[in-house]
Amino acid sequence: MNSILNGLYQFILYIGVFILFFYVSEKTARKKWNIERRPEAEEVNSLHKWGKRILWIIFFVNVVFFPSGIKNVLIIMVIFLFNAFMQWKSGEKEYIITILGLVIFGIFITFGYTLHIFSK
């Protein structure tokens, strides 16, 4: 029981550190490149809205029927990239924050598997 709690505390600390890291990185990027805050759920056009919906449906179907960590991570990264591409194509600077989130998410997953935080 003690080892389970220790692993849980380690996982919570790990997530907290990355949330803090993303928060500071986002604030710095917004200030440096003068990017205004925009609601995340706001889509650029109908292709963006339906593309995100279809990709999220693919992700959830994959989680339920084919639970595999790496495939699910790749699908989430494709969703991030699609979102960033549509934001870039519309001329918004919000794509910088989306790509920053993708990079930090990739680092989060990589360190999590390297340090065996997710495999306990």
Side-chain angles (χ1 to χ4, degrees):
M1 182 71 165
N2 194 19
S3 66
I4 293 173
L5 283 177
N6 189 22
L8 181 63
Y9 293 144
Q10 183 181 11
F11 182 71
I12 290 171
L13 178 66
Y14 181 73
I15 289 176
V17 166
F18 267 94
I19 288 173
L20 181 64
F21 180 65
F22 177 73
Y23 178 78
V24 170
S25 300
E26 179 189 13
K27 289 290 185 187
T28 304
R30 286 191 188 279
K31 189 173 185 176
K32 182 176 181 176
W33 288 298
N34 196 21
I35 302 170
E36 292 183 23
R37 180 169 290 284
R38 181 177 80 77
E40 185 62 36
E42 186 178 309
E43 287 87 10
V44 176
N45 56 25
S46 63
L47 174 65
H48 189 197
K49 178 173 31 175
W50 282 101
K52 277 176 49 176
R53 286 179 182 176
I54 290 168
L55 288 170
W56 278 112
I57 289 170
I58 291 170
F59 170 74
F60 287 120
V61 166
N62 193 46
V63 166
V64 171
F65 294 111
F66 311 105
S68 165
I70 299 302
K71 269 196 289 186
N72 296 335
V73 168
L74 290 176
I75 293 172
I76 289 176
M77 289 182 163
V78 167
I79 293 169
F80 270 93
L81 285 172
F82 176 73
N83 202 20
F85 175 74
M86 293 303 288
Q87 291 167 345
W88 169 76
K89 192 174 177 185
S90 73
E92 296 181 7
K93 290 198 281 185
E94 186 73 23
Y95 76 92
I96 296 170
I97 303 301
T98 304
I99 291 175
L100 178 68
L102 174 63
V103 169
I104 291 174
F105 176 73
I107 293 169
F108 173 78
I109 295 298
T110 303
F111 280 163
Y113 278 108
T114 304
L115 300 175
H116 302 289
I117 290 176
F118 299 132
S119 62
K120 288 186 179 183

